[in-house]
Amino acid sequence: MIHTHPPHEGLDDPQPFSQQQVDLAKVFPLPEGYERLFLGLYFIIIPYVVGLLFLFIFIAKGNFNSFLALDLAMFAAVWAIGYEICASVALSIIFYMMIKYNRTHKSVVRTKKRKTKPLHEVYDLS
């Protein structure tokens, strides 16, 4: 594989992780013109479904009769359980991406400081 330009070109002043662009359309399908409606629906439906799954798997232990015996009419309680689970998962993913970004950025900076070529430029690894 031959590169016509260095793969680390333009990374002299990289943006910090917290300044990266976030595009919600890459995460959630958002029809054009209905973005706010769909984000609102996702904000209500996803935590509720996750809360129901949590109650079914961990509280009712997968028993459908025990699950039906639970008071599922308490929408706010089920939604709050799901919201906390979704928030925990999202924060864990963000933290993992931050660590991965920092490791990649540090290796790129070290490679540029050494003024050596990365292995994929020296050897044909394909």
Side-chain angles (χ1 to χ4, degrees):
M1 177 181 224
I2 299 173
H3 294 282
T4 56
H5 57 81
H8 308 300
E9 185 177 286
L11 289 178
D12 292 331
D13 298 323
Q15 290 181 329
F17 180 79
S18 61
Q19 300 296 321
Q20 298 291 318
Q21 290 285 338
V22 176
D23 186 11
L24 289 177
K26 291 181 181 177
V27 179
F28 301 109
L30 298 171
E32 192 171 330
Y34 298 102
E35 293 90 356
R36 290 183 181 179
L37 173 68
F38 274 79
L39 283 175
L41 288 174
Y42 292 146
F43 183 73
I44 294 170
I45 293 172
I46 292 174
Y48 185 72
V49 170
V50 170
L52 286 176
L53 287 173
F54 176 82
L55 290 175
F56 179 71
I57 294 170
F58 293 103
I59 305 301
K61 306 220 186 302
N63 185 342
F64 195 69
N65 290 329
S66 297
F67 178 68
L68 291 178
L70 296 173
D71 186 14
L72 299 178
M74 293 183 52
F75 175 83
V78 175
W79 182 87
I81 291 169
Y83 177 80
E84 292 299 326
I85 294 169
C86 290
S88 300
V89 169
L91 287 174
S92 298
I93 291 170
I94 290 169
F95 186 69
Y96 170 75
M97 290 172 57
M98 181 183 69
I99 291 172
K100 186 177 168 184
Y101 178 84
N102 287 337
R103 285 185 180 173
T104 304
H105 174 67
K106 286 179 183 177
S107 79
V108 168
V109 169
R110 274 187 264 140
T111 302
K112 290 188 90 164
K113 284 182 181 177
R114 285 191 307 229
K115 298 190 188 273
T116 58
K117 293 183 179 180
L119 286 177
H120 68 274
E121 288 184 8
V122 176
Y123 301 103
D124 185 16
L125 300 176
S126 57

